[in-house]
Amino acid sequence: MTPVHFAFSSAFLLGLTGLAFHRTHLLSALLCLEGMMLSLFIAFSLWTLRLDSTSLSAAPMLLLAFSACEASAGLALLVATARTHGTDRLQSLNLLQC
């Protein structure tokens, strides 16, 4: 495993462990998801460059567009949650109450 592969896989796993173990606030969970998506984007871009394939050149941009849509939907949920519940703590949210 090259150092580049190790760096991107460890960045993805760091975001995954942050999402799994440190879910106290909705904002921290969204930041972990965004870090995972960005590490996937960079790894996929480098993989496309390494293969020298023109058929896969649009795929990283598509992944980046989905990541931006996910971030905007997450921030909209964060604002809606903060307005209705007064906080973004995940322990204070009750999904059965919505």
Side-chain angles (χ1 to χ4, degrees), residues 4 13 17 27 31 40 42 52-53 60 77 83 87 90-91:
V4 174
L13 288 176
T17 56
L27 184 62
L31 285 174
L40 280 176
I42 293 172
D52 265 346
S53 174
L77 282 172
R83 285 184 181 174
T87 184
L90 292 176
Q91 281 79 20

Side-chain angles (χ1 to χ4, degrees), residues 46-93:
L46 288 177
W47 181 61
T48 307
L49 286 173
R50 174 170 244 150
L51 288 179
D52 265 346
S53 174
T54 58
S55 64
L56 294 175
S57 63
M61 287 299 147
L62 187 65
L63 183 70
L64 191 62
F66 284 140
S67 175
C69 292
E70 175 258 332
S72 65
L75 286 177
L77 282 172
L78 178 70
V79 169
T81 303
R83 285 184 181 174
T84 58
H85 291 72
T87 184
D88 69 332
R89 291 185 62 86
L90 292 176
Q91 281 79 20
S92 66
L93 298 179

Side-chain angles (χ1 to χ4, degrees), residues 1-10 46 50:
M1 179 180 280
T2 64
V4 174
H5 290 115
F6 179 73
F8 292 123
S9 62
S10 63
L46 288 177
R50 174 170 244 150

